[in-house]
């Protein structure tokens, strides 16, 4: 039973919640979709407690309040972004190319693919452009991985990713209903990417960038973590040449920003950190032998 759960958890979590969201969006006002976010977070926590990848990651590192603040603020900003879509539609030229005649599920799939490419490229750039990295470093400062980590981002970097992912869709005329479903899909995927559930993906790791794939992106060993940038689909990393997978068991000592072991932990300090004068960096630690062999 444990093995079956490990194989079915990720696809069941993502596609189960999306199927429910599609059903709700055609029968209920869009604000009802918001109710699925706390349900998904609770389901993620229950699964992590029941079958953890690393038991130590289920225990607070004095970070629960901070992570909750990141999640609440960033989800509120996502909601404001959805509410602003009618205004955006009025300000932006509409090419009239959005396939409104397609089934809603197919429209959502198209939106995910386009947004995924834009967000992945912004993520890739954030590891190479100085100011973007300083904003993105907030996300990489974590010392454990669990669902809430996916929602832990600097609001300005969240805005950069949202712009990269949704501007092409808005120019195509994406409806508000699809945008709301897309925002939920991204939240679900972020919970899965950073989940502490002991998943078994098998061949699906070549298609979906879930936790067993994404954990390696959070390695603290210098440029070793410049892999697996994709949000949804691993194919983008194949095309970028940044795909990586290994049987190396990731632990808490492998995570963080190796050159900044003193990175601030408090919420407000993390918001201010990108704008502070650099205090200098330490040499990044060397990767362990087991990882080097990979």
């Amino acid at each position: 039973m444990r093995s079956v759960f490990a194989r079915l958890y990720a696809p069941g979590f993502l596609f189960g919640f999306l199927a429910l969201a599609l059903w709700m969006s055609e029968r209920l006002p869009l604000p009802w979709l918001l109710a699925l976010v706390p349900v998904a977070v609770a389901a993620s926590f229950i699964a992590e407690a029941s079958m953890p990848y690393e038991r130590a990651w289920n225990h607070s590192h004095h970070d629960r309040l901070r992570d909750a603040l990141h999640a609440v603020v960033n989800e509120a900003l996502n909601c404001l972004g959805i509410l602003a879509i009618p205004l955006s539609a009025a300000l932006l030229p509409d090419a009239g190319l959005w396939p409104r005649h397609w089934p809603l599920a197919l429209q959502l799939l198209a939106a995910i693919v386009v947004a995924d490419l834009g967000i992945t490229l912004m993520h890739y750039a954030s590891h190479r452009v100085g100011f973007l990295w300083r904003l993105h470093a907030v996300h990489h400062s974590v010392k454990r991985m669990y669902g809430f980590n996916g929602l832990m981002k600097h609001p300005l970097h969240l805005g950069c990713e949202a712009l990269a992912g949704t501007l092409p869709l808005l120019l195509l005329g994406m409806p508000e209903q699809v945008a709301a479903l897309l925002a939920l899909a991204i939240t679900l995927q972020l919970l899965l990417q950073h989940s502490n559930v002991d998943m078994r993906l098998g061949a699906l790791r070549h298609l979906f960038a879930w936790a067993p794939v994404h954990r390696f992106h959070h390695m603290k060993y210098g440029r070793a973590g410049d892999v697996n940038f994709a949000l949804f689909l691993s194919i983008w990393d194949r095309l970028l040449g940044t795909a990586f997978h290994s049987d190396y068991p990731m632990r808490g000592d492998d995570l963080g920003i190796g050159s900044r072991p003193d990175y601030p932990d408090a919420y407000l300090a993390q918001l201010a950190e990108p704008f502070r004068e650099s205090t200098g960096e330490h040499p990044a630690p060397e990767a362990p032998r087991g990882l080097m062999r990979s």
Side-chain angles (χ1 to χ4, degrees):
M1 181 62 71
R2 184 181 178 92
S3 175
V4 172
F5 181 83
R7 293 182 181 279
L8 295 182
Y9 173 71
F13 183 93
L14 180 62
F15 298 119
F17 273 109
L18 286 182
L20 179 58
L22 285 164
W23 181 87
M24 290 175 61
S25 68
E26 294 183 329
R27 292 164 176 81
L28 299 170
L30 286 182
W32 278 99
L33 289 181
L34 288 174
L36 290 181
V37 174
V39 175
V41 170
S44 177
F45 283 168
I46 292 170
E48 289 172 337
S50 302
M51 203 170 75
Y53 171 80
E54 171 58 72
R55 290 190 180 277
W57 292 352
N58 279 344
H59 302 302
S60 174
H61 289 38
H62 306 290
D63 53 5
R64 283 180 177 161
L65 176 59
R66 178 202 68 195
D67 293 352
L69 287 171
H70 276 293
V72 169
V73 169
N74 290 340
E75 285 301 298
L77 291 174
N78 283 334
C79 293
L80 289 175
I82 295 168
L83 293 174
I85 284 179
L87 177 61
S88 302
L91 297 176
L92 294 172
D94 183 356
L97 298 177
W98 189 261
R100 294 175 182 267
H101 58 285
W102 287 6
L104 185 58
L106 198 55
Q107 292 185 52
L108 174 59
L109 176 60
I112 287 174
V113 172
V114 173
D116 191 30
L117 176 58
I119 292 171
T120 298
L121 291 176
M122 176 57 70
H123 191 181
Y124 184 83
S126 297
H127 281 246
R128 283 155 177 79
V129 178
F131 181 66
L132 288 176
W133 165 249
R134 290 196 292 276
L135 293 174
H136 184 48
V138 170
H139 180 67
H140 276 270
S141 66
V142 298
K143 300 298 193 300
R144 63 173 177 141
M145 290 193 70
Y146 70 122
F148 250 14
N149 290 155
L151 307 178
M152 179 186 163
K153 299 183 178 186
H154 196 287
L156 291 180
H157 195 263
L158 177 73
C160 291
E161 287 188 335
L163 186 64
T166 61
L167 182 58
L169 296 169
L170 293 173
L171 291 173
L172 289 172
M174 175 179 63
E176 189 176 9
Q177 183 183 26
V178 178
L181 289 166
L182 174 61
L184 176 65
I186 290 173
T187 297
L188 295 172
Q189 178 66 7
L190 289 171
L191 288 170
L192 277 176
Q193 267 202 331
H194 300 81
S195 174
N196 188 29
V197 174
D198 188 17
M199 305 176 196
R200 296 287 186 268
L201 300 187
L204 287 178
R205 73 176 185 270
H206 300 298
L207 181 59
F208 295 109
W210 289 328
V213 173
H214 189 70
R215 287 183 191 121
F216 293 105
H217 181 70
H218 283 263
M219 293 185 292
K220 68 181 183 181
Y221 309 112
R223 290 290 183 181
D226 284 359
V227 296
N228 301 346
F229 290 93
L231 175 58
F232 282 95
L233 302 172
S234 297
I235 188 173
W236 306 128
D237 283 298
R238 301 278 174 192
L239 296 175
L240 288 169
T242 54
F244 176 80
H245 186 74
S246 169
D247 292 328
Y248 175 81
M250 293 285 290
R251 296 294 180 256
D253 289 344
D254 296 309
L255 305 178
I257 306 173
S259 60
R260 287 292 312 276
D262 59 341
Y263 200 88
D265 293 324
Y267 178 72
L268 293 178
Q270 289 189 339
L271 296 190
E273 184 63 20
F275 307 99
R276 293 179 57 207
E277 185 176 350
S278 175
T279 57
E281 296 188 351
H282 301 269
E286 292 186 7
R289 291 182 180 179
L291 183 59
M292 292 294 287
R293 284 196 295 271
S294 300

